[in-house]
Amino acid sequence: MLHPVSFRYNPSHCIWTSSHEMLRPCVLKPYKFCLTLRKNTGISSGANFVPNSSCCISRIPPIMASGVSTAATTQQPPVSTQNGSAQNTASQPLQIAKRLEKFKTTIFTQMSSLAIKHGAINLGQGFPNFDGPEFVKEAAIQAIRDGKNQYARGYGVPDLNSAVAERFKKDTGLVVDPEKEVTVTSGCTEAIAATMLGLINPGDEVIVFAPFYDSYEATLSMAGAKIKEELNSIAALCIENDILVFSDEVYDKLAFEMDHISIASLPGMFERTVTLNSLGKTFSLTGWKIGWAIAPPHLTWGVRQAHAFLTFATSTPMQYAAATALRAPDSYYEELKRDYNAKKTILVEGLKSVGFTVYPSSGTYFVVVDHTPFGQENDIAFCEYLIKEVGVVAIPTSVFYLNPEDGKNLVRFTFCKDEDTLRSAVERMKEKLKKK
């Protein structure tokens, strides 16, 4: 079972696969001008100003410059507050870099907000409504009591780096150097960002497989990448065209019908692959935000450079607890899979009884269904109706495609909830959701 992959062709091409969720490209543009603040002489603008010893310089990007240049001529005088600061923000337009203009509030935030407003059962966003294992939480508490509360080493505390390497060897048979080939990050989303920003150049082409995690598109846009969408024979294509692979494997322990295969373990692939993973999904501790990236030294360098300027370091006590978690016996993972299989059965059978067409789910803790029997115009309209009139939350899948039309007939439910919650959601849908 292959998850998110991101590949780069030799000149500048890249591919990404995933069982996650979505993005669109935008090339970064250089500033057209800057403002220069000269000591005692006010403001001047221009790209070619050469400082001399008598001035104090500060370069201000245009988005900031517009506010500075119009303050004295087109806006009302600022209102002074008690501490001397100025408040004049009511009429200011929202400001955002052009590369992120197309991205709205994430669909997860929108649906979760509606869930709270309408008292709906949230089967949308993929976080459990039950807690993680006690032995991991106790390890975190002990680390806090032991005073492990200051900045950690940038690329991870040694114990966690070693635990990640040990787990990776057990899962894939590959031996990696925990000091040179493992980088601990603040969740897998940061590992994704550090990998993209550290190894992708503006103008590089990236291939994504839809549906995909919506963070991919936004982060690639920040990196200035050009995004494609197509499917190929992955490993052979990578080797033939000298492509890099970024493989997001956060659901590697939730493969139900066959064992997960890490693409890095295939012949000729380790030296061109960054494997991304995290603690949250496997140990039901999504709020801890502990992730990591495994890559050969020549790729690890770029990842660590980006990571250093994104978060620098990750929560110290949680890293020690994560090391304990990763050394859990195989019985933990076997029980995890059994539990989720039972939850999956409750939701899948329930959705079928409601009248959905349910698509197979071989991994992750999500199920995708066709909502069209219920007569709504598209996936977003259906999800809004489901929340407001039925009291259950799902996620519209159109946000996970470069072309939203590809996902307009589908919605996604999660079964990472306790069994009573899943049954209650099914009962609400049986009672209130009718075919049209």
Side-chain angles (χ1 to χ4, degrees), residues 167-333:
R167 186 75 245 175
F168 196 62
K169 179 183 178 182
K170 196 165 190 176
D171 291 341
T172 68
L174 295 173
V175 176
V176 297
D177 185 334
E179 292 299 301
K180 297 179 180 179
E181 298 178 318
V182 176
T183 304
V184 175
T185 59
S186 297
C188 191
T189 298
E190 198 238 324
I192 292 166
T195 298
M196 290 180 174
L197 295 173
L199 295 172
I200 293 175
N201 293 308
D204 283 358
E205 292 187 354
V206 178
I207 299 173
V208 296
F209 301 102
F212 50 82
Y213 182 33
D214 59 349
S215 175
Y216 299 164
E217 185 177 10
T219 307
L220 286 171
S221 183
M222 286 188 274
K226 297 178 180 178
I227 302 166
K228 306 289 185 178
E229 187 179 351
E230 58 188 75
L231 185 64
N232 291 287
S233 178
I234 298 172
L237 185 65
C238 293
I239 296 170
E240 180 183 348
N241 295 281
D242 191 21
I243 294 171
L244 297 182
V245 181
F246 307 155
S247 184
D248 180 345
E249 302 183 4
V250 297
Y251 294 105
D252 61 336
K253 300 303 180 189
L254 292 175
F256 298 113
E257 296 172 10
M258 62 186 73
D259 289 336
H260 169 80
I261 299 174
S262 177
I263 195 169
S265 69
L266 300 180
M269 291 305 297
F270 179 74
E271 62 267 26
R272 65 184 68 255
T273 300
V274 181
T275 303
L276 309 162
N277 213 320
S278 73
L279 191 77
K281 302 298 191 295
T282 303
F283 290 91
S284 303
L285 296 165
T286 59
W288 286 20
K289 297 300 289 181
I290 302 293
W292 54 86
I294 302 172
H298 68 283
L299 299 180
T300 292
W301 171 250
V303 175
R304 287 186 179 178
Q305 288 299 98
H307 165 65
F309 295 103
L310 286 170
T311 60
F312 173 66
T314 297
S315 172
T316 301
M318 301 311 179
Q319 289 193 56
Y320 285 98
T324 298
L326 290 178
R327 295 188 175 107
D330 289 344
S331 58
Y332 172 81
Y333 299 100

